[in-house]
Amino acid sequence: MIKTVLHPVSDLAKAKEVYAALLGRRPENDTPYYVGFEADDQHIGLVPNGGPQGMTAPVAYWHVPDIEAKLAEVTAAGATVREAAHDVGGGRLVATFTDPDGNVLGLIQD
């Protein structure tokens, strides 16, 4: 299930205000390197300048119980791993891959 969508932004302060107005709430996470909102069982994240992963467009993240198994499954089907599974804190693992058309998709394991 897609529960997280990250958006690269060039001006974090301005983007934060736009998303706060859109979602009708202030962010739950508000740091210079990441701003995150929780709205209707969805997490919307703002990543300044695409972050270390160099995002250039929004990335949808599917939440999965076993990230390594899902990476193996999608690569066997023709996907290419872009960012191997790694811990981003608190035991949360994330990874990204591209589909055959180059679209970036993400996985999260809590």
Side-chain angles (χ1 to χ4, degrees):
M1 165 188 312
I2 297 173
K3 293 174 55 176
T4 301
V5 179
L6 301 184
H7 300 266
V9 298
S10 60
D11 185 322
L12 190 60
K14 287 181 182 178
K16 178 171 56 173
E17 295 308 314
V18 169
Y19 281 83
L22 173 66
L23 299 169
R25 64 187 68 226
R26 301 305 303 165
E28 281 76 17
N29 300 314
D30 192 351
T31 67
Y33 57 88
Y34 186 80
V35 171
F37 296 86
E38 300 293 336
D40 299 323
D41 295 326
Q42 188 80 47
H43 181 79
I44 306 299
L46 307 178
V47 182
N49 303 311
Q53 60 271 50
M55 294 170 46
T56 58
V59 176
Y61 284 80
W62 277 258
H63 288 238
V64 297
D66 185 336
I67 199 166
E68 293 295 348
K70 187 55 73 176
L71 275 175
E73 186 178 342
V74 298
T75 54
T80 302
V81 174
R82 184 167 189 253
E83 180 182 21
H86 63 283
D87 194 309
V88 293
R92 174 175 272 191
L93 301 175
V94 300
T96 58
F97 62 93
T98 56
D99 69 11
D101 291 305
N103 296 304
V104 179
L105 306 166
L107 300 173
I108 293 178
Q109 175 186 318
D110 286 318

